[in-house]
Amino acid sequence: MISQVLKCPITIEDANHRLLAYSTHDERTDPARISTIIGRRVPEKVINQLWKEGTIPALLKTKEPIRVKSMEDIGLGHRVAISIWKQDEVLGFIWALEIDRSLTNDDFTLLKNAADAVKNKLLQLQTRKNKKEERTQEFFWKLLTRHLNSPREIMEHFHSLQITPAKFFAVQVYKLPHNITNKEEQAISYLLKTTQRVKILLYAIDCNQLILLAAADYFDNPIPELDYFAKMFAAKLDDRFGIKEITPACSGIYEDYSKISKAYDEANAVLTVKSKFPKETKNIINYQKLGIYQLFDLLLEKRRNEEYENYSLKKLHEYDQKHNSNLLETLESFLNFDDNINDAAKDLNVHANTLAYRLKRISEIGDINFKDPNQKMMLYIDLKLNKYKGI
């Protein structure tokens, strides 16, 4: 009916740019509209461009119609768009494609009336959607907390919720420096439902954490793809919604859905290590790339049972305490940079000759042979373990 009144093709989307309804059109329609109808959602490249051009930010602030200029690189023709509001919340959008003529001010008034009429339909849809989201989140929490671990029951839940489980999956956790607000939760939900690079099966929010169950079926090399998605997702939350200082983490890849809680533990283990070693693990997101850090809890338990103490590190610590020096820091930097004196000297902001002299003193005081890889490996592990347990 809106199309008949305004004499132009119309599409109606929900707040996450999923297609709800569309009118007929002739052969002069543009590629963006065709892709939206075929895929039942607006293509991600179109959404990204509309954010960059300021169209979507404007639609999230005003109840007035907005003209959208042609963007040939993404196949978008001239349009007029209007948001559908319920009080301070955007429920969806109406898009009117201008082909034969430009919409007039009178048409804008009719479009505002149309948005008001569509609101009631969307409110009914939103109620049904909210009930389903409550059920899916309850299902996800049962998986995360080991209250549901029968493969048969898990598959039954997936099918009852009309979610197709992926063959392979990973759990991602995004940690914020504060508890996630309702407004931030809306932004997160929007971004999750508009992203098309990775399929998100389930998600939940717990205080300052966003937890995702991500499909890993569609990539030859899923770990780097999931890492890239995590970085881009955090960057978009910052760029579009001002949600900053997000730390992403990802589990390994799993096939058995009864292992979701294990994957969740892995993602949280990455976050723990990153908080203890921010510098060393700055670029690590995936549990598979933690290396020796994966074993720290086991190694610490072994150390406690044996009441072990590294003699060389003890001697260096005592020397630093007595002489107000930093030989332990020097040793750690040298080992971090794989015995590269020039890189370690830059890190410590000292001359290479100064570092060489310090290493000689470290060798003498701690009885360390820098040509012995076994001893160096043990020193490296014990230095990290001390930092891990807060010494």
Side-chain angles (χ1 to χ4, degrees), residues 248-266:
C250 187
S251 72
I253 309 299
Y254 285 89
E255 187 174 5
D256 181 355
Y257 278 87
S258 65
K259 299 285 178 59
I260 282 181
S261 59
K262 184 175 186 293
Y264 180 43
D265 290 342
E266 287 182 358

Side-chain angles (χ1 to χ4, degrees), residues 310-317 365-368 375 379:
N310 189 302
Y311 170 81
S312 297
L313 296 184
K314 180 183 177 183
K315 297 294 287 182
L316 290 170
H317 177 69
I365 295 165
D367 188 24
I368 297 169
Q375 189 183 19
L379 286 167

Side-chain angles (χ1 to χ4, degrees), residues 287-328:
Y287 183 78
Q288 295 289 329
K289 296 182 180 179
L290 276 183
I292 193 67
Y293 294 107
Q294 287 185 12
L295 307 176
F296 274 13
D297 286 326
L298 292 172
L299 291 171
L300 270 181
E301 189 61 31
K302 180 175 172 60
R303 287 286 187 261
R304 289 191 190 102
N305 292 335
E306 296 174 347
E307 296 184 2
Y308 166 89
E309 189 172 11
N310 189 302
Y311 170 81
S312 297
L313 296 184
K314 180 183 177 183
K315 297 294 287 182
L316 290 170
H317 177 69
E318 290 171 350
Y319 184 89
D320 280 346
Q321 291 286 96
K322 185 176 180 180
H323 297 89
N324 195 28
S325 56
N326 60 348
L327 295 185
L328 274 177

Side-chain angles (χ1 to χ4, degrees), residues 83-258:
S83 307
I84 303 159
W85 292 78
K86 176 202 170 188
Q87 297 175 344
D88 295 329
E89 180 186 0
V90 173
L91 301 177
F93 310 94
I94 301 175
W95 298 80
L97 184 59
E98 296 179 310
I99 296 176
D100 292 323
R101 66 188 185 90
S102 295
L103 298 189
T104 64
N105 288 334
D106 288 342
D107 292 328
F108 276 25
T109 301
L110 290 169
L111 196 55
K112 289 166 73 173
N113 292 338
D116 196 48
V118 171
K119 175 183 70 174
N120 296 321
K121 296 285 187 185
L122 287 186
L123 284 172
Q124 296 171 20
L125 187 67
Q126 189 184 53
T127 301
R128 294 198 299 272
K129 193 180 293 183
N130 288 343
K131 287 180 179 176
K132 182 182 178 183
E133 285 189 358
E134 285 177 11
R135 289 172 58 214
T136 58
Q137 293 210 0
E138 181 184 352
F139 170 46
F140 194 21
W141 276 118
K142 285 181 178 178
L143 293 171
L144 292 169
T145 55
R146 298 177 174 85
H147 284 90
L148 189 63
N149 48 31
S150 161
R152 181 181 60 80
E153 285 185 58
I154 291 171
M155 288 303 121
E156 285 176 358
H157 275 74
F158 269 119
H159 295 315
S160 70
L161 292 167
Q162 298 179 316
I163 300 171
T164 304
K167 185 176 181 184
F168 300 102
F169 68 87
V171 171
Q172 291 191 335
V173 178
Y174 297 78
K175 184 178 179 182
L176 277 69
H178 57 267
N179 286 353
I180 296 169
T181 66
N182 288 336
K183 186 177 180 181
E184 288 171 337
E185 187 172 346
Q186 289 175 5
I188 287 167
S189 176
Y190 169 85
L191 203 55
L192 286 174
K193 290 170 182 173
T194 54
T195 187
Q196 294 164 36
R197 186 179 183 92
V198 171
K199 183 180 179 183
I200 304 302
L201 302 171
L202 298 166
Y203 81 94
I205 288 172
D206 182 28
C207 296
N208 67 334
Q209 285 192 349
L210 165 67
I211 309 156
L212 307 183
L213 182 64
D217 285 24
Y218 314 106
F219 313 110
D220 293 332
N221 298 302
I223 289 176
E225 285 289 343
L226 288 170
D227 284 3
Y228 178 79
F229 169 77
K231 290 176 183 175
M232 290 301 101
F233 188 79
K236 283 183 179 179
L237 283 174
D238 182 357
D239 182 52
R240 293 183 183 178
F241 303 105
I243 305 174
K244 301 181 179 297
E245 298 179 49
I246 302 170
T247 305
C250 187
S251 72
I253 309 299
Y254 285 89
E255 187 174 5
D256 181 355
Y257 278 87
S258 65

Side-chain angles (χ1 to χ4, degrees), residues 13-32:
E13 305 162 8
D14 68 11
N16 301 312
H17 307 294
R18 294 182 184 274
L19 183 67
L20 300 177
Y22 63 96
S23 66
T24 57
H25 57 254
D26 59 27
E27 69 279 357
R28 292 175 295 169
T29 194
D30 60 34

Side-chain angles (χ1 to χ4, degrees), residues 360-377:
K360 184 180 178 183
R361 291 292 293 139
I362 288 169
S363 177
E364 293 168 353
I365 295 165
D367 188 24
I368 297 169
N369 177 9
F370 283 115
K371 293 183 179 179
D372 181 355
N374 186 54
Q375 189 183 19
K376 285 192 297 183
M377 189 182 300

